[in-house]
Amino acid sequence: MHLCIISGALTLLLSVLGVGKKTSSIATIVFCGIYAAVVGFMPSIVRASIMLCIDKFAPIVNRKSDSLNSIGFSAFVFVLINPYCAVDCSFLLSMSATLAMVTAYKYFYKYAQKRITFKNKLFSKITLFTVTSLFQTVAAVAFTLPVLVVYI
């Protein structure tokens, strides 16, 4: 989450300064690599960096980014570098929580958007954001629970 917030701020700053989207994407990719090195290449940071780099690389090659493909590719890179990470608790927790949040958000947002309608549009947006965030948390707990049961 920290990486997304910081890279989002960097992207916003560069767009305000008039930097193009492709140049901004390249700067964000470089920043992700530096950030991962500074914090010590922890598995969750590396996963987030890989996913963010894939997301930022898509516009450079005129493609649309996809979160599920980003998760799959980052898992592939992890296992390619270290096959034993497939049984590492932090790797499994990070991947399962991210997978839960990405898939849950995509489907639950569409469902909740149809059901949460108030006359006040701002109140509707705030309520939708809050309910969707809570559901993502529940989905992350549900997806990580089997990993926690096995390891704890």
Side-chain angles (χ1 to χ4, degrees), residues 49-89:
S49 296
I50 292 170
M51 289 180 63
L52 197 59
C53 288
I54 292 169
D55 183 58
K56 294 297 180 181
F57 187 70
I60 295 172
V61 293
N62 298 322
R63 299 279 188 217
K64 185 179 175 188
S65 65
D66 179 30
S67 299
L68 290 176
N69 286 338
S70 298
I71 294 170
F73 185 75
S74 64
F76 173 74
V77 169
F78 263 98
V79 173
L80 189 64
I81 292 170
N82 179 10
Y84 296 108
C85 79
V87 294
D88 181 43
C89 184

Side-chain angles (χ1 to χ4, degrees), residues 1-18:
M1 183 172 174
H2 296 99
L3 186 61
C4 288
I5 291 170
I6 296 169
S7 67
L10 176 65
T11 302
L12 179 65
L13 175 68
L14 292 174
S15 68
V16 167
L17 294 174

Side-chain angles (χ1 to χ4, degrees), residues 56-128:
K56 294 297 180 181
F57 187 70
I60 295 172
V61 293
N62 298 322
R63 299 279 188 217
K64 185 179 175 188
S65 65
D66 179 30
S67 299
L68 290 176
N69 286 338
S70 298
I71 294 170
F73 185 75
S74 64
F76 173 74
V77 169
F78 263 98
V79 173
L80 189 64
I81 292 170
N82 179 10
Y84 296 108
C85 79
V87 294
D88 181 43
C89 184
S90 65
F91 171 77
L92 293 173
L93 287 171
S94 177
M95 287 296 173
S96 61
T98 305
L99 181 65
M101 288 187 283
V102 166
T103 56
Y105 181 79
K106 190 182 291 185
Y107 296 109
F108 187 72
Y109 184 81
K110 291 177 185 176
Y111 176 80
Q113 193 175 25
K114 294 176 187 175
R115 308 252 178 323
I116 298 175
T117 54
F118 297 104
K119 290 181 182 178
N120 186 338
K121 296 290 184 187
L122 179 62
F123 187 69
S124 290
K125 287 183 179 183
I126 292 171
T127 305
L128 181 63

